[in-house]
Structure formats: structure tokens, C-alpha cells
Amino acid sequence: MTIQDNANPLGFAQLGITGTLLKAATDAGMSAPKPIQEKAIPPFLEGRDILGIAQTGSGKTAAFSLPILSRIIGLGNKRRPRTARALILVPTRELAVQIEKVVRELAAGAHVSTALVLGGVSRRSQVKRMASGVDILIATPGRLTDLVREGEVVLSDTTWLVLDEADRMLDMGFINDVRRIAKATHPARQTALFSATMPTEIEKLSKTLLRDPVRIEIARQGTTADKVRQHVVMARLRQKRTVLAELLSDKGMGQVIVFARTKHGADRVTRDLQRDGFEAAVIHGNKSQNARQRALNDFREGVVRILVATDIAARGIDVPGISHVVNFDLPDEAESYVHRIGRTARNGADGEAITLCDPGEGNKLRQVERVIRMPLPVSRDVTGDPDPVQPKTAVPSKARSPEAASKARNGGEAIRKEAAGKPQRRKRNRRDRKGGSMRFGSKAA
Ligand code: AMP
């Protein structure tokens, strides 16, 4: 079946979504199912496990929420204390908040209770919320592990389990927590695992957690790359602050998200921007949940025009209207580049992605080009090197227009003042939990 571009109000009904859910989906602006919803909802409603290879933006939240809600609505409110009927496990707090919002929106008009269990905010209110049990729990692995270990959350009645952005949970060092949590859920549960990529570890995890899953693959959003104008500015680390300030002074720039590789780097970029007279907010894993949410809200509502973010914190953030993405650093993982640039050009809008590349980041640039399967043109070069791009980076010479080459020769003059900047050390994963025994599998009271 192919999806028509025009809205088809019967689409979700044909997939088996009925009643209040159908109305709520339409009210939420989901009139025609997206491909992942079309493929995942019918088997999920039949009770099949799902292995979904799809990215944020594909519509996967509704793909798993609608079938779970349609099974939960009507079960009544007889739940055991501290239990959850469904668990949605996600890597970041922002994604958890976002998913809960969608779930509540879709559950409008039905009696469905939800809870959030995530780090960075008070545990007390979470424990209180879980006391009488909930229908749908959305959680990050770290805090959930703690609360399960302490017996404040009991997963033995959890018969639906969704692992969202599994590859990111792996990157963040959560994989053992995820295994333990899954083991603590009901043995006869139904499971869906979504991941943007399928590294071997995730493939292995899926084999142990899923039973005869329906495999759904939604093509990489290659289209994003087509819609986003992408180019590289060659600049030394110490020049990047000035280049960034110059770029952001351009009146044509609307909402901008600036990516830094590390939390420390993100803080430094934000501080420098503020000193240079820009209003910028920062979002990364060391910030409290409240600070992160405030930064995101300010950015979403246009109170600040610039959001500085690390890859992990920005993952899954769906803010419409971002006109530019600036990569202050190349990402450690080339795949992250695709997620970064996917923050712009959403819903058919135009977007531009500018990558500031130190000659020493040439290898990373090459890896990005391999992932996106195209060369990234150098639009400007302020390093002052006669040809800093070759041989250190792989931008093929044909990707550089004569214009760009000329700019490359003259660009050094554009930078008069140089900001002091130290190369950043790589930090360890935020969470590398020690084993520790957990009281998982304990019976619900
Ligand atoms: P997700 O991948 O679940 O984060 O969804 C990405 C965006 O697509 C969100 O802004 C959703 O509200 C939107 N969306 C999801 N499903 C549909 C649909 N069937 N029609 C229109 N928009 C949708």
C-alpha cells in the first residue's frame, strides 16, 4: 500500500484504530498514517513483536503509542501498586517528556494514566505518582534502574515494552540497564524495539528480547540531506568563535541550533556567544531537567534564537522552524551528523547546515561524507593555508567551486581577532554503571 500525499481521514481506521483514539489522532494533526505507522500498527495490534529501524521524525511515537493505547483503554483501573502496564524506555529526558506529551494527547478523552521516571528531577514526586500503579510509564534507564532496585517501581505486570532509540541507549552506556529492566518485565510481554541504526550489539539485543518480530525498515531520511543546503567552513579551532559570531550576525539566519561535541565545549560556546552579545541557551546532559526544559521552551517559543546542544541532548528534539544548523565541531560519530542536520528543513521547509572544520578534523569530515554518500563543498576557508583541505580531508576538488577556491585564498583576512580556545578532551560516557544487585523481578505488593 502506498501513502497518498493528501490527507486520508480513514487511514488510521483501516489500520484498526477506532473510537476516541481515531478522533484524538486527527485532532493531533495526524490525518493520514505515516509509512511506519502503516507498517507497524496492524501487526502490533495483533500482538506481534516489532523491530523498527527508523529515525526520529518518522512518526514512530504514534506507531507504538496508538496500538498500546487501544489495548489499554478498557482494561479499567485495577492495577497493582507501583506497577505499569506498559513501559516506554528512552535514552534522554527530553525524549521522555516529548513522548509523554504525545501519549497524553492521543489518550485525550480516555482514562489512561501516565508517569515519567527520569533523572535530574525529584524522585519523590515520581515515587508518589507510581504508588497506585499507572497504565503507561515512560522512563530513562538510569533512574528507572534505581527505583526498581529500591522496590519503588515493580515491572512484573508490564506486558508492553517499547525500547526507543536503542542505539542511543547503547552509546550512552545504558545497555546493561536495559537488559536488566527488560528481564524484570512480564515474561509474556509484547516488545517493540526502535533504533535508527543496527549495530551488532543492538542486533544481538533484539534477538534476546524479541520473539519472531516483524522487521520494519523505514528508509534513512536521505531526503533530509537533499533538502538541506550543506557546506563547510574551514577554520582553525581558535578561529571558530569569530567565524560563528560572523555567521550568526547574518540577518538571514532565523532559529539556529549550534552543535558542540562535548558538554564542556557546549558551555564554552554558549559563554562566548553571550559575551559576543548573542542570546543563547544551552542544553546538555549535565544540566538539571528544569534547566534543559527551560532552554528548550525558550528556544521553541523564540525567546532565544540560538540553542547550543550536544548530540545526545538534542536527539529527538522536534522544534519546527530551525533555519540553520551549525556544527561547531564535527561529531565523534559520523552518523550523528545526519541527526544534527535533520533538526532543520523539517516538514518541507528549507534549511542550511554549516560545518566548521579544523584541518585536524579532516578524518571526521571524510567519515561524514562516507555516511551521507556525497562530498561536502567548502564554501569558505579562513585558515590561511594555501590548501588546507588537501590532503587532510577528503573533500574532492570538484566539490569546491572556483568561487569557493577564491574565497579560500582570501578568507584568512576575514579573521582579525582570534579567540583563545583549547582543544577539548573527550569525556567518558555519562553513565557507566557498576553492576550491583537489583531487586528486579520482585513481586508486586
Ligand atoms: P516522531 O518520529 O514520532 O517524533 O514524529 C515526528 C513528527 O511527526 C511529530 O511532530 C508528529 O507530531 C508528526 N506526526 C506523526 N505522525 C503523523 C501523521 N500521521 N501525520 C502528520 N504528522 C505526524
Side-chain angles (χ1 to χ4, degrees), residues 82-84 86-90 115-120 123 126 130 134 137-155 158 161-163 169 174 177-178 180-182 184-185 431 433 438-440:
R82 306 195 292 274
T83 61
L87 168 64
I88 301 168
L89 208 52
V90 302
L116 277 170
V117 161
L118 33 92
R123 311 150 39 96
Q126 296 174 3
M130 287 303 299
V134 295
L137 168 61
I138 301 126
T140 51
R143 174 64 63 86
L144 183 61
T145 296
D146 294 344
L147 294 192
V148 170
R149 188 184 282 140
E150 291 156 21
E152 301 288 5
V153 174
V154 175
L155 297 176
T158 301
L161 173 65
V162 176
L163 305 177
M169 291 201 270
F174 281 142
D177 285 349
V178 171
R180 273 193 290 259
I181 288 167
T185 59
R431 199 166 188 102
R433 304 183 66 81
M438 299 175 73
R439 287 203 283 124
F440 276 16

Side-chain angles (χ1 to χ4, degrees), residues 65-230:
S65 302
L66 285 170
I68 290 177
L69 283 167
S70 77
R71 302 285 293 275
I72 280 180
I73 289 172
L75 286 183
N77 57 2
K78 268 200 179 157
R79 293 173 304 254
R80 295 201 286 174
R82 306 195 292 274
T83 61
R85 283 179 165 136
L87 168 64
I88 301 168
L89 208 52
V90 302
T92 64
R93 298 173 257 186
E94 284 70 25
L95 189 55
V97 170
Q98 200 166 292
I99 288 177
E100 199 213 15
K101 198 168 148 247
V102 173
V103 169
R104 292 175 81 96
E105 213 175 348
L106 293 175
H111 293 287
V112 173
S113 57
T114 60
L116 277 170
V117 161
L118 33 92
V121 285
S122 146
R123 311 150 39 96
R124 193 129 54 93
S125 57
Q126 296 174 3
V127 167
K128 204 168 147 203
R129 177 94 189 136
M130 287 303 299
S132 53
V134 295
D135 289 313
I136 301 182
L137 168 61
I138 301 126
T140 51
R143 174 64 63 86
L144 183 61
T145 296
D146 294 344
L147 294 192
V148 170
R149 188 184 282 140
E150 291 156 21
E152 301 288 5
V153 174
V154 175
L155 297 176
S156 50
D157 288 0
T158 301
T159 48
W160 288 281
L161 173 65
V162 176
L163 305 177
D164 198 10
E165 304 209 342
D167 52 350
R168 193 49 49 164
M169 291 201 270
L170 172 73
D171 291 347
M172 291 171 77
F174 281 142
I175 206 75
N176 287 331
D177 285 349
V178 171
R179 278 185 217 280
R180 273 193 290 259
I181 288 167
K183 216 167 167 187
T185 59
H186 197 286
R189 62 160 198 266
Q190 185 183 359
T191 311
L193 184 153
F194 292 90
S195 196
T197 56
M198 267 293 145
T200 323
E201 285 280 330
I202 297 299
E203 196 83 53
K204 269 198 233 158
L205 182 74
S206 72
K207 290 213 169 82
T208 58
L209 299 186
L210 304 176
R211 258 170 302 213
D212 185 26
V214 176
R215 191 180 169 107
I216 296 167
E217 205 155 338
I218 298 300
R220 167 168 291 290
Q221 290 175 309
T223 48
T224 304
D226 300 341
K227 281 186 293 173
V228 180
R229 266 173 296 129
Q230 302 165 66

Side-chain angles (χ1 to χ4, degrees), residues 12 29-34 37 55-62 98 318:
F12 277 110
M30 301 176 188
S31 35
K34 291 201 172 201
Q37 294 157 358
Q55 307 189 336
T56 298
S58 57
K60 61 190 160 67
T61 313
Q98 200 166 292
D318 183 27

